[in-house]
Amino acid sequence: MEWSFVIEKFALVTIVFVVTLVIAMYSTLAERKIAGFMQDRYGPDRAGIFGLLQPLCDGGKFFFKEEIIPAGAHKTLFIIGPTIAIITACISSAVIPWGQSLTIGDRVISLQVADVNVGILYMFGVVALGVYGIMLGGWASNNKFSLMGAIRAASQSISYEIAMGLSIIALLMVTQSLSLKEIVGQQSGFVNWNIWSQPLGFIIFMVCAFAECNRVPFDLPECETELVGGYHTEYSSMKLGLYMFSEYINMFVSSALMAALYFGGYNFPFMNDFGLSQNWITIIGVCIFFIKIFAFIFFFMWVRWTLPRFRYDQLMNLGWKMLIPLAIANIVLTGIITLIKDTYFS
Amino acid sequence: MQPLSNRKKVLEQKPMNFMERIYFPAIIKGLSITLRHFFKKIPTIKYPEQQRPYSKNFRGQHSLKRDEEGRERCTACGLCALSCPAEAITMIAAERTKEEEHLYREEKYAAVYEINMLRCIFCGLCEEACPKEAIYLDGPHVTADYLRKDFIYGKDKLVEPKFDITKLNS
C-alpha cells in the first residue's frame, strides 16, 4: 500500500467525519427553526445572526454541565452505551458514495471511503449494532423508564429491520448488486432512478428508516410524556449530547442512504448532456447529493412536527401486519415483473 | 333528556376503513397543513428590538404628580389608601413649614408615601379617588426584582421628576 493512498483516504475520512458532525450540529438548529416556523414563530434567533451560533452554545453547555452517574447504575456499561451509539452512527457513513471521482494530476480519487462490495450488508450490520448503544445505556441506568425505553428500542428496531431488509431485497433484485457504488452508478440521469421501479419499496424503506432512527412518529424509546426521556432519562452532560448527536447522525446517514438507493445519489438529470468535464460533474454531483440529503432531513423534521406518536400496539401492528406482508408482496411483484421483462422484452 | 344546545354530537367509534388504515391520506393532509404554516406570516414580536405600543388606557406604575410650579400635588388625605381594595398604599402625613412652600402645594403633605407593588392590582381606584389629581397609573410596567422589600416603592420612585413648565409649553 502506498503512502499517498493512506493520506488520501485519511483526508477523505476526516472530511466525511467533520461534515457529518457539522450537519448533525446544524440539524439540531434546523429542527428547532423548522419547528418554529411550522408553529408560526421564529426558532432560536438570539445567538448570532439567525441563531447560527446556537449549536455551538448548546455544545458548550453540554460540556460544562455536571456529569451524573446514578449510584445504582452499572458504571462501565453506562459509559459504553453512548459510546457505541455515537461510534456506530459515525462509521455507518463509510460506504456511502458521496460522488464519482476527482482527477487531480494523474491520480483518480474516488469520493467513497470504502467501496465494500457488500456495502448494504455492512450498513445493516452497523445499524443493527446501533441499537446496542440504546439498549446498554437504558439497561445500565437502573431505571424503570430507561429500561422500558431500551426494550421498546430493541423490539422496535428488530421488527422494522425485517421489513427494511425485505424492501432492500426487492431493490437488489433490480440492481443485481450489493455494492452501493454500483447501485448509485446504475442510476445515472433521471429515468434510471430506482424510485421509478421501486416506489412501494421506497415507501416501506422510508417508514422503516423513520423507525430505525427513533424519529416521530416512532419515537417510542424516548417519548418524553410517558417515559420521561426513555433510555436517556439518567443521562446528563455530554453523554446525553452523544445520544442526541448519534440520533441526528443516524438521520443524516439514513437520508443519504435513501437518496443513494432510490433517488440516484449524486446523479442529476442531463448530467452528461452539458459537455462538462468529469471533475465538474463530480463536484456538481456532490452538491446535488447533499441537496437531496437535506431535502430528506427536512422531510424527517417536517413529519416530526406534523404527526403524533404511534401507540405501542399500533407500532407493532404496522410493522408486522402491514409492512412485512407489503414488503414480501413487493418482492413477489418485482420478481414477476423482472421475469416478464426478461422473457418477453429482452 | 332534552339537550340544552344543538352543539352536542354523539361520537360513534367505527372501525377504520381502508383509506384510514393505510394512514397516508391523513398524513399527507397533515403535512400540507404544517407546510402551509411554514410559509405563513409570523405574528411573533421580537421583543427587545420591537415593542408594541401600550394601549391608551393601560394602567402601569403609579406616579405622583406635580403642579405647574413643580410642587407635589399630594396632600396626604389618605383617600387613595382608603379606596385601595388591595391595601397596597400607606402614607405618613406631615405639616408644611414656611420654607417648604415651593415644594408642596397644600399645607399638609405626604412625608412617606409607599405603594407595595406586589399587593397592587392596578385597578386604578386610587386614581379615581384622588381629589387633587395627584396620582396616576401612567407609568411603564413594574419591573421584576429579587427581594420582596424592593417592591415597596417609596417617594423616590413614585414622584415624577421635576420639569420646567415653561419649556413644556413651548
Side-chain angles (χ1 to χ4, degrees):
Chain A
M1 197 181 296
E2 17 169 1
W3 273 109
S4 55
F5 178 78
V6 174
I7 293 170
E8 176 196 308
K9 286 298 177 197
F10 189 76
L12 199 60
V13 168
T14 315
I15 291 171
V16 169
F17 188 63
V18 169
V19 167
T20 310
L21 289 187
V22 168
I23 286 179
M25 242 168 82
Y26 276 93
S27 294
T28 61
L29 175 68
E31 175 116 74
R32 294 169 68 184
K33 276 289 195 190
I34 287 170
F37 280 109
M38 286 189 173
Q39 295 164 0
D40 293 343
R41 53 185 176 84
Y42 307 89
D45 66 342
R46 295 288 124 172
I49 174 171
F50 302 128
L52 281 178
L53 298 177
Q54 188 70 36
L56 292 178
C57 303
D58 289 342
K61 188 183 152 207
F62 268 133
F63 274 111
F64 290 110
K65 281 284 192 177
E66 187 189 351
E67 181 132 16
I68 300 164
I69 298 182
H74 191 298
K75 282 220 174 60
T76 332
L77 291 182
F78 192 78
I79 294 167
I80 288 176
T83 322
I84 291 181
I86 192 88
I87 288 177
T88 52
C90 285
I91 60 175
S92 54
S93 60
V95 290
I96 289 172
W98 303 104
Q100 281 169 322
S101 52
L102 285 173
T103 315
I104 299 167
D106 53 350
R107 279 198 67 83
V108 178
I109 300 169
S110 163
L111 291 185
Q112 184 184 17
V113 176
D115 181 17
V116 189
N117 57 7
V118 287
I120 293 181
L121 276 187
Y122 168 86
M123 204 78 185
F124 268 70
V126 170
V127 169
L129 274 181
V131 77
Y132 278 100
I134 294 173
M135 267 173 69
L136 287 180
W139 183 78
S141 303
N142 192 23
N143 176 320
K144 292 176 206 125
F145 295 124
S146 303
L147 188 61
M148 282 294 284
I151 291 170
R152 283 182 175 190
S155 53
Q156 172 180 327
S157 67
I158 288 169
S159 325
Y160 279 78
E161 230 153 65
I162 299 169
M164 200 181 205
L166 289 177
S167 70
I168 285 290
I169 286 174
L171 181 76
L172 297 183
M173 287 162 72
V174 176
T175 59
Q176 306 279 330
S177 167
L178 275 167
S179 154
L180 271 167
K181 190 175 190 171
E182 218 174 300
I183 292 175
V184 178
Q186 286 170 2
Q187 307 178 52
S188 87
F190 186 65
V191 283
N192 292 331
W193 287 6
N194 285 330
I195 175 74
W196 309 126
S197 56
Q198 287 289 326
L200 184 61
F202 167 67
I203 289 173
I204 296 168
F205 186 85
M206 191 174 66
V207 172
C208 295
F210 271 85
E212 293 283 314
C213 293
N214 299 329
R215 292 286 300 184
V216 175
F218 305 109
D219 65 334
L220 290 118
E222 46 176 313
C223 39
E224 298 90 348
T225 36
E226 319 151 44
L227 295 185
V228 211
Y231 61 89
H232 55 54
T233 306
E234 297 290 353
Y235 280 91
S236 57
S237 170
M238 204 56 207
K239 291 211 196 71
L240 174 66
L242 288 183
Y243 267 130
M244 288 169 67
F245 238 71
S246 66
E247 197 187 316
Y248 282 102
I249 294 174
N250 278 334
M251 193 167 81
F252 168 62
V253 172
S254 53
S255 298
L257 199 60
M258 279 192 278
L261 288 180
Y262 289 98
F263 281 83
Y266 48 73
N267 293 300
F268 51 96
F270 313 116
M271 59 192 291
N272 296 320
D273 299 347
F274 294 130
L276 294 165
S277 70
Q278 180 61 35
N279 278 359
W280 275 111
I281 288 182
T282 306
I283 291 168
I284 295 172
V286 172
C287 297
I288 294 282
F289 190 35
F290 272 91
I291 289 172
K292 288 173 186 171
I293 293 173
F294 291 148
F296 272 113
I297 292 179
F298 176 77
F299 186 71
F300 266 95
M301 292 171 180
W302 182 12
V303 168
R304 169 163 185 184
W305 299 108
T306 304
L307 296 184
R309 187 181 301 130
F310 275 110
R311 221 167 46 219
Y312 200 68
D313 58 317
Q314 290 173 330
L315 174 93
M316 283 296 153
N317 277 340
L318 184 70
W320 288 94
K321 292 190 189 161
M322 290 186 76
L323 290 182
I324 292 177
L326 261 182
I328 292 172
N330 190 36
I331 293 175
V332 174
L333 211 68
T334 314
I336 291 170
I337 289 171
T338 321
L339 194 67
I340 291 172
K341 241 190 189 166
D342 287 355
T343 335
Y344 296 106
F345 298 98
S346 58
Chain B
M1 205 172 78
Q2 191 77 25
L4 292 172
S5 69
N6 57 356
R7 275 174 292 177
K8 185 178 162 191
K9 265 184 204 161
V10 180
L11 272 181
E12 282 177 69
Q13 288 248 318
K14 284 176 285 190
M16 292 199 285
N17 62 27
F18 179 72
M19 288 304 267
E20 283 166 343
R21 246 182 308 143
I22 60 171
Y23 293 118
F24 278 102
I27 288 175
I28 289 165
K29 212 167 137 193
L31 287 175
S32 73
I33 289 173
T34 38
L35 194 67
R36 236 176 296 143
H37 277 270
F38 192 81
F39 295 109
K40 255 190 189 164
K41 200 173 157 284
I42 296 170
T44 313
I45 298 254
K46 296 195 172 188
Y47 169 59
E49 294 97 46
Q50 253 179 325
Q51 284 188 17
R52 249 194 285 238
Y54 285 120
S55 107
K56 257 184 199 162
N57 52 1
F58 174 78
R59 293 194 291 262
Q61 191 191 310
H62 315 64
S63 72
L64 290 173
K65 297 292 174 195
R66 295 175 187 276
D67 68 355
E68 307 78 43
E69 291 162 47
R71 302 176 298 185
E72 284 176 27
R73 284 169 166 272
C74 179
T75 72
C77 63
L79 280 177
C80 49
L82 197 67
S83 72
C84 183
E87 302 190 349
I89 305 177
T90 53
M91 66 184 74
I92 296 170
E95 210 173 324
R96 181 180 70 175
T97 56
K98 202 77 183 149
E99 304 88 67
E100 291 174 334
E101 267 175 25
H102 66 288
L103 290 176
Y104 309 107
R105 199 163 73 153
E106 317 271 336
E107 293 90 69
K108 203 171 115 203
Y109 70 94
V112 177
Y113 192 102
E114 284 179 345
I115 301 178
N116 188 336
M117 289 301 178
L118 290 176
R119 303 200 67 157
C120 178
I121 57 172
F122 300 95
C123 59
L125 285 184
C126 46
E127 177 179 285
E128 270 175 46
C130 186
K132 298 288 179 190
E133 296 185 342
I135 188 164
Y136 282 97
L137 278 75
D138 56 358
H141 271 107
V142 175
T143 49
D145 218 326
Y146 291 101
L147 298 171
R148 280 173 178 270
K149 70 176 173 61
D150 293 331
F151 281 101
I152 299 171
Y153 283 18
K155 276 180 83 174
D156 53 327
K157 284 185 184 165
L158 292 174
V159 178
E160 69 174 352
K162 271 195 177 171
F163 55 85
D164 196 345
I165 192 79
T166 49
K167 268 186 197 162
L168 202 71
N169 285 338
S170 62

